[in-house]
Amino acid sequence: QRIRRGVLRNMPGPYCYPFIGAVQLYLQLSMNNMLDHMAKFHEQHGSIIAAWVANRVGISSMDLELNEQILASPQHIAKHFNYTILRQWLGTGLLLSDGRKWFVRRKIITPAFHFKILEQFVEVFDQQSTILLSCLAKKADGRNVFDVYPFVCLAALDIIAETAMGTKMGAQTDARSEYALAVNKTTKIIAWRFIKFHLNNEILFSILHPYLKWQQMRHIKTLHEFTTNMIKQRREALERNRNVAPLTEDLTEDSHFVGNKKRMALLDMLLQSTIDDQPLSDDDIREEVDTFMFEGHDTITSGICFTLYLLSRHPEAQQKVLQEVAAVLGNDRKQAISLRELNELKYVECIIKETLRLYPSVPLVGRQLTEDFKYTHSQIGDGIIPAGAAILISLYGMFRQARYFERPTDFMPERHLNNGSASAFLFIPFSAGPRNCIGQKFAMLEMKMIIAKIVREYELLPFGEPVQIESNIVMRSTTGFQLGMRKRE
Ligand code: HEM
């Protein structure tokens, strides 16, 4: 401990009292002030800061050099201790595992995001966005102020359920979908615990909040039962298909995904994978499917909602989106949208990127050091961060620094037109390096589809309160995403 403190003595940071450290600061943190507080500490102490709480040290970094060195490193891939709260739900799936387990899983899951497979998913994005448009119709009278979040969230859930598990969940049309309710409740509890560091500890959480603990267990049970059931059904369907003649394009409804490489859901790929010549167990598969269900809907929902909000407040940008959408997709709103067309929506992509710069869905990326980390050329020079330290990389903070982005708080989509960033590690809403987001292409296509279809159908109006950001694992807004919609002629 003394050595660790000695090594970090020269690193700037808030005052830490003997034994307890910077507890006074930690007590001030809540979900809706955390990012602003962190920004304030960085303003006072510089781009890399260290703070102790009891015997734990946390480093927060908005320094490009340090961030690049840690993210690019194949050694420092273990996740921040904070992420362990998610384990009850996600086990040690791709997001939370490390070492050999992570490496092997990443290798077998990567082909699930090949463009040939994404191409087939575009059809699902298209169909589910059409349902979303009809759900929004009752709000789009040009007068109503409403929060678009719940609508987008259910669409994103339906899409990830169909692409990851090959099942039509129907959350958009069934308001009582048990799975959707359980996802909502679980993410709320976990997000709240995320910020209350002492509640990261499962035993303390059970003692201090027994009712919430019971609720968390109940909802996670619902989530696990759902995925376990899906795995069972898909395993049986796969077996059935193995026993029939070679598969053709026009498969039955049941075998729509199974066995046909082009239409394979993530789950089917996992069912057919082996590690050291052994098939994956149901538990192994469940943790990966649960990981995708979590990572693949909340992040996207946040990205889409902030984009719609910003477009409603920037009519000139909205007009440009409309023009591009009309030029690329034409005016036949019934025509399905293809992968090629989505790739041509360059301005829509700039809008999404600029939204993720101002409101990154994942505002903080965390690492836990299992060995010493040597950094060089940072704004505080060279140094060592000792094993045991937890590092938070503030994407939110980095993306809003004038040192890196001109007029950083302004919404300027055109800045992304030439992919102009000087470093591959500067604008990284999907993180970077070996543990970057495996679903980033999937995410970009889904967001483009939903945004293009909504803007083509409805004019977005600047109604209601502004967003108030909160760090809820994924970034959200305490005031929701208020806007108005009017159907276009
Ligand atoms: C706007 C949408 C999204 C954003 C901004 C985003 C961002 C990120 C970030 C920053 C990470 C790194 C987290 C860390 O190191 O702590 C990550 C990891 C991950 N993301 Fe995404 N994500 C998005 C959508 C998706 C989707 C749609 C999927 C799946 C379909 C997905 C699956 C994953 C997985 C499995 C990981 C863990 C990868 C690994 O550690 O090997 N994400 N994402």
Side-chain angles (χ1 to χ4, degrees), residues 71 77 79 83 93-97 102 106 109 113 160 163-164 288 291-304 352 356 360-367 395 428-432 434-440 442-444 446-447:
L71 291 175
I77 59 166
K79 293 297 175 82
Y83 288 60
L94 201 56
L95 180 70
L96 303 179
S97 57
W102 169 77
R106 177 96 189 190
I109 293 173
F113 292 92
I160 195 67
T163 50
E288 296 304 347
T291 297
F292 279 84
M293 290 302 293
F294 167 68
E295 272 287 318
H297 92 279
D298 225 7
T299 46
I300 288 200
T301 303
S302 159
I304 294 172
I352 294 171
L356 292 176
S361 307
V362 180
L364 301 166
V365 169
R367 292 284 185 273
L395 299 184
I428 49 167
F430 296 100
S431 187
R435 290 213 81 155
N436 68 354
C437 175
I438 200 170
Q440 56 187 290
F442 177 114
M444 201 40 112
E446 179 180 335
M447 290 191 287

Side-chain angles (χ1 to χ4, degrees), residues 294-465:
F294 167 68
E295 272 287 318
H297 92 279
D298 225 7
T299 46
I300 288 200
T301 303
S302 159
I304 294 172
C305 289
F306 277 109
T307 308
L308 294 174
Y309 166 79
L310 284 169
L311 285 176
S312 75
R313 267 65 178 176
H314 294 274
E316 65 307 333
Q318 190 182 155
Q319 193 54 33
K320 282 192 190 170
V321 169
L322 186 65
Q323 277 164 5
E324 183 180 71
V325 167
V328 174
L329 308 179
N331 291 322
D332 179 2
R333 297 185 193 171
K334 292 213 164 59
Q335 181 74 32
I337 298 173
S338 68
L339 175 69
R340 186 186 53 75
E341 287 167 327
L342 289 180
N343 284 333
E344 281 175 31
L345 295 175
K346 300 288 179 208
Y347 187 71
V348 176
E349 191 164 319
C350 292
I351 294 277
I352 294 171
K353 284 183 173 168
E354 184 64 348
T355 304
L356 292 176
R357 187 186 67 80
L358 287 169
Y359 302 107
S361 307
V362 180
L364 301 166
V365 169
R367 292 284 185 273
Q368 192 74 36
L369 295 186
T370 51
E371 45 191 285
D372 291 355
F373 164 58
K374 284 189 187 153
Y375 59 91
T376 57
H377 301 97
S378 79
Q379 286 174 53
I380 58 166
D382 303 351
I384 294 179
I385 302 178
I391 302 188
L392 274 184
I393 292 171
S394 173
L395 299 184
Y396 175 78
M398 205 164 64
F399 298 168
R400 284 175 177 249
Q401 274 194 74
R403 158 195 302 271
Y404 301 131
F405 295 93
E406 193 194 336
R407 291 165 54 198
T409 52
D410 289 359
F411 179 67
M412 290 166 45
E414 281 76 10
R415 71 170 94 226
H416 300 279
L417 269 177
N418 304 318
N419 283 332
S421 168
S423 158
F425 284 79
L426 181 54
F427 178 61
I428 49 167
F430 296 100
S431 187
R435 290 213 81 155
N436 68 354
C437 175
I438 200 170
Q440 56 187 290
K441 290 204 181 96
F442 177 114
M444 201 40 112
L445 290 171
E446 179 180 335
M447 290 191 287
K448 277 179 157 183
M449 175 72 82
I450 292 185
I451 289 156
K453 284 187 84 148
I454 290 184
V455 172
R456 184 166 68 168
E457 192 80 15
Y458 302 117
E459 184 186 354
L460 304 172
L461 305 166
F463 294 169
E465 282 181 66

